[in-house]
Amino acid sequence: MLTAFRRMLREWSGLQAFKRIPRKERTLVFYSEGRGYWTYFEPIYKALQENHAAPILYVTSAEDDPLVQTPLAGMRSFYVGEGSVRTLFFSTLDADVLLMTMPDLQSFHIKRSPFSVHYVYLHHSIVSTHMIYRAAAFDHFDSILCVGPHHVNETRTREQQLGLPKKILIEHGYGRLDTILDNGRQGPPERHGAPIQILVAPTWGENGLIERHGLDVIKPLIDAGLRVVLRPHPRTRKLNPEMLDKMIAPYIDDPRFRLDENADATTSLLESDIMLSDWSGAALEFSLGLERPIIFIDVPRKVLNPKYAAMGIEPIEVQAREHLGVVVTTDKLAQLGEIACTVAAESKKWQTALKDARERWIYNTGKSGETAAAYLVSLTKQ
């Protein structure tokens, strides 16, 4: 009870501190759902500082967000939690521009402010807008920073089908992909006799790979002599912690196995030869950023919009599978070790195709931060 009270007091203090900022200084606000989301904002923040010297107000729902205790240059930060204080923050927001990665604005308890705020959506996945998101997830934003042509096509098609007002669509790109590319680690890593490493990075939900198949995915990989890094989706940890702990218990002390729940997955990505996934957007980041192949397990699609097919556009995450790796049916899980070794051995041949796919599907590779920063600054000057 005392801990909850102290947390509420911190949240309320954060909101009041934000409101004390003079209105003329509330030009550009970033809202972060949690500490793991900074990776999507960071390239934009850097470009804002380096190219425009534009200060930001950073509002976060993560109690352990390091940027609250140690804000970066040009940043003032505020913690508002994820309960009633956050709801009040949104409903009373008076600022020029709000940049956020959280969809479903206006659909539930997070509403648009009555003040004249320009809401900009920043995609935190390469995947399409109409299958794994709720139908109206993006309808109430003023602008959308689009990862690639698929986002533009899907958004315009929905607007036309429903008679919605046209949003401003910016050919942005994907900052996290740029960060991965900046590491210069494209292609298979040098092993020098060390075992192949496979990153198991599924999505969450009742059809997620871990939720449906658990140990049947991990065991054949370890039995084949591979090093396995399991990176569960944060929502799996939040919704099914006991299931996850029970699944990893047999291997928790095995040197061939590692559980990675770090908010920033970059290290695990860079060090892995291949990825095993289902419908996770992380698969597109891995393959397009590192030019390394994916093994997709053919579990049922993750669908939050049951009417997604009415758009008449196949989601990019469905289209991409045949271009990014191999698809394995669930009746072949026992053969995963052998399949993984084969895919890793052929990893080099995938490089050119994956690089070409990146150029077709992603805007402004290597320049997304500068593109977004220039647009956001233009909004503050209107």
Side-chain angles (χ1 to χ4, degrees):
M1 180 69 75
L2 186 59
T3 301
F5 176 77
R6 288 173 176 166
R7 184 184 303 114
M8 174 66 80
L9 188 60
R10 281 192 63 207
E11 294 167 1
W12 181 253
S13 297
L15 177 60
Q16 294 308 307
F18 179 87
K19 288 181 174 294
R20 284 196 295 272
I21 300 295
R23 175 60 184 85
K24 65 181 180 179
E25 297 178 22
R26 287 184 238 153
T27 54
L28 183 53
V29 182
F30 285 12
Y31 168 69
S32 175
E33 301 169 66
R35 60 181 296 171
Y37 287 85
W38 179 246
T39 186
Y40 308 104
F41 290 102
E42 188 172 21
I44 302 174
Y45 158 78
K46 287 181 176 178
L48 284 168
Q49 299 307 303
E50 294 170 4
N51 301 338
H52 305 279
I56 66 166
L57 303 179
Y58 176 76
V59 179
T60 178
S61 285
E63 188 175 13
D64 59 348
D65 194 321
L67 294 176
V68 173
Q69 296 300 323
T70 312
L72 301 175
M75 171 190 293
R76 283 177 282 184
S77 56
F78 311 87
Y79 166 64
V80 298
E82 53 184 20
S84 58
V85 175
R86 177 179 68 172
T87 303
L88 186 60
F89 162 75
F90 273 94
S91 65
T92 61
L93 177 63
D94 188 7
D96 292 340
V97 181
L98 176 66
L99 178 68
M100 57 193 289
T101 60
M102 186 170 66
D104 296 307
L105 179 67
Q106 201 70 17
S107 295
F108 300 103
H109 58 292
I110 301 300
K111 306 291 187 182
R112 289 180 62 107
S113 163
F115 296 99
S116 184
V117 180
H118 190 103
Y119 292 82
V120 183
Y121 185 78
L122 171 64
H123 277 286
H124 64 276
S125 180
I126 298 172
V127 301
S128 284
T129 58
H130 59 301
M131 185 173 78
I132 74 163
Y133 292 99
R134 295 179 181 89
F138 310 105
D139 287 354
H140 297 281
F141 289 92
D142 301 298
S143 299
I144 297 180
L145 300 179
C146 298
V147 172
H150 57 291
H151 282 164
V152 173
N153 187 25
E154 293 154 9
T155 305
R156 290 294 184 231
T157 299
R158 178 170 173 81
E159 289 171 347
Q160 184 176 17
Q161 288 181 343
L162 277 72
L164 300 174
K166 279 193 171 184
K167 289 172 277 296
I168 301 171
L169 303 184
I170 302 301
E171 295 184 359
H172 169 228
Y174 193 55
R176 177 157 172 76
L177 188 65
D178 291 344
T179 301
I180 295 171
L181 288 167
D182 284 345
N183 284 280
R185 300 272 290 274
Q186 284 66 49
E190 295 291 335
R191 280 288 162 225
H192 305 294
I196 293 166
Q197 178 168 300
I198 183 167
L199 176 61
V200 180
T203 188
W204 62 279
E206 61 180 357
N207 289 327
L209 187 58
I210 288 178
E211 284 82 352
R212 289 180 72 94
H213 297 286
L215 273 178
D216 290 341
V217 174
I218 304 298
K219 186 177 186 303
L221 299 172
I222 291 182
D223 289 349
L226 280 69
R227 294 180 60 188
V228 176
V229 178
L230 173 63
R231 180 168 177 76
H233 193 284
R235 295 284 290 175
T236 297
R237 167 58 72 187
K238 184 173 183 178
L239 299 175
N240 292 294
E242 293 180 1
M243 177 275 297
L244 180 59
D245 290 338
K246 182 178 180 180
M247 188 193 89
I248 66 176
Y251 295 107
I252 198 65
D253 296 319
D254 193 317
R256 297 168 296 179
F257 176 83
R258 178 163 62 88
L259 178 69
D260 180 7
E261 295 187 271
N262 194 305
D264 182 359
T266 302
T267 299
S268 293
L269 286 172
L270 295 177
E271 295 177 350
S272 298
D273 298 75
I274 55 178
M275 178 186 281
L276 179 72
S277 193
D278 43 24
W279 295 102
S280 173
L284 281 78
E285 297 174 6
F286 180 88
S287 58
L288 299 180
L290 295 174
E291 298 164 11
R292 302 173 194 171
I294 310 291
I295 299 174
F296 295 99
I297 305 300
D298 202 22
V299 296
R301 297 182 183 189
K302 181 180 179 182
V303 178
L304 284 183
N305 174 19
K307 297 181 179 179
Y308 76 92
M311 186 175 284
I313 301 174
E314 188 81 300
I316 191 73
E317 60 269 32
V318 179
Q319 299 178 44
R321 287 184 154 205
E322 63 184 67
H323 300 281
L324 305 184
V326 299
V327 180
V328 177
T329 56
T330 55
D331 61 345
K332 294 183 179 178
L333 293 181
Q335 302 171 38
L336 273 180
E338 177 184 345
I339 294 169
C341 290
T342 299
V343 172
E346 298 175 345
S347 184
K348 193 71 177 177
K349 79 173 189 179
W350 287 93
Q351 258 198 284
T352 300
L354 294 172
K355 182 178 180 180
D356 290 346
R358 182 175 68 233
E359 295 305 312
R360 292 195 310 271
W361 297 341
I362 310 296
Y363 290 132
N364 296 315
T365 301
K367 300 180 294 183
S368 68
E370 291 89 337
T371 302
Y375 176 64
L376 292 172
V377 169
S378 74
L379 289 176
T380 67
K381 293 180 178 179
Q382 291 180 3

